[in-house]
Amino acid sequence: MNDETAALLFDVVERLEKSIIARECPAIVALRGECLLVLSDYDYLRDEQSAAAFERRAAAKGQEIAATRWVLAVPQVWVITPDKVFSRAVSNHPLREGEQEAITWMSFDQSDGVEYGRVPYTRRPSGDPVFDEPEMFTVGVRPAEHMPGYTLLQALFLDD
């Protein structure tokens, strides 16, 4: 990941961390092209249709500003098994056995391509989140259509 994409990642993660501390859970995307455009959506986690609609709107805005890089971050709950990772929307309910909250992120840069990662976090007894540093996946990731960023990537760059 180059320095410009890393700076964009840290900006988006910081924005989402502030939202999570405020007990809000939007999806946030930052698109860098002719200018920087940051969009958020509170319905993203409601269902797959809402998530895809937000990513298509973000792609349209990205085309307007000739975006060459972007970062999308979404708060989720993860369950990691030996051979798969499952995720679901965050909620006010307590975590179940084996679940962990994380910010899931996807980045794209025209020179570096696609990268994925997460920012795991835990909660103090008071409910306040404590965030780790962003992690980048170093193993091959095969994203499914419902993974954050998949629709944005398809709509913004790969449909051409």
Side-chain angles (χ1 to χ4, degrees), residues 16 19 29 40 53-55 61 66 81 84-86 88 92 98 100 111 117 135 140 144-145 147 150 153 157:
L16 189 49
S19 292
V29 63
S40 63
F54 173 66
E55 291 188 28
K61 291 294 185 184
T81 67
K84 288 189 179 185
V85 173
F86 298 94
R88 67 171 176 84
N92 292 327
Q100 180 183 23
S111 60
E135 300 172 354
E145 288 184 33
M147 185 172 182
Y150 183 89
L153 181 65
F157 294 109

Side-chain angles (χ1 to χ4, degrees), residues 11-148:
D11 178 41
V12 170
V13 166
E14 182 179 330
R15 290 170 189 261
L16 189 49
E17 287 175 352
K18 288 178 181 176
S19 292
I20 292 168
I21 290 168
R23 307 253 190 252
E24 300 172 349
C25 297
I28 298 177
V29 63
L31 303 138
R32 170 66 75 186
E34 296 166 353
C35 63
L36 174 64
L37 181 62
V38 179
L39 306 169
S40 63
D41 187 89
Y42 288 88
D43 292 333
Y44 188 95
L45 295 174
R46 186 176 62 202
D47 55 43
E48 289 183 28
Q49 294 80 15
S50 298
F54 173 66
E55 291 188 28
R56 283 192 297 274
R57 288 191 306 273
K61 291 294 185 184
Q63 289 171 339
E64 288 177 20
I65 66 166
T68 58
R69 74 178 45 89
W70 53 264
V71 174
L72 172 70
V74 179
Q76 293 186 314
V77 174
W78 284 41
V79 175
I80 301 173
T81 67
D83 52 335
K84 288 189 179 185
V85 173
F86 298 94
S87 63
R88 67 171 176 84
V90 293
S91 71
N92 292 327
H93 302 293
L95 295 175
R96 293 176 232 151
E97 183 70 29
E99 292 185 329
Q100 180 183 23
E101 291 179 291
I103 295 171
T104 304
W105 60 266
M106 178 186 204
S107 69
F108 177 85
D109 182 282
Q110 282 187 333
S111 60
D112 292 340
V114 176
E115 295 180 286
Y116 303 92
R118 71 181 191 141
V119 179
Y121 61 98
T122 57
R123 293 192 183 266
R124 294 186 169 117
S126 65
D128 294 332
V130 178
F131 299 96
D132 287 341
E133 292 297 313
E135 300 172 354
M136 185 183 312
F137 299 139
T138 56
V139 297
V141 176
R142 298 185 64 203
E145 288 184 33
H146 64 277
M147 185 172 182

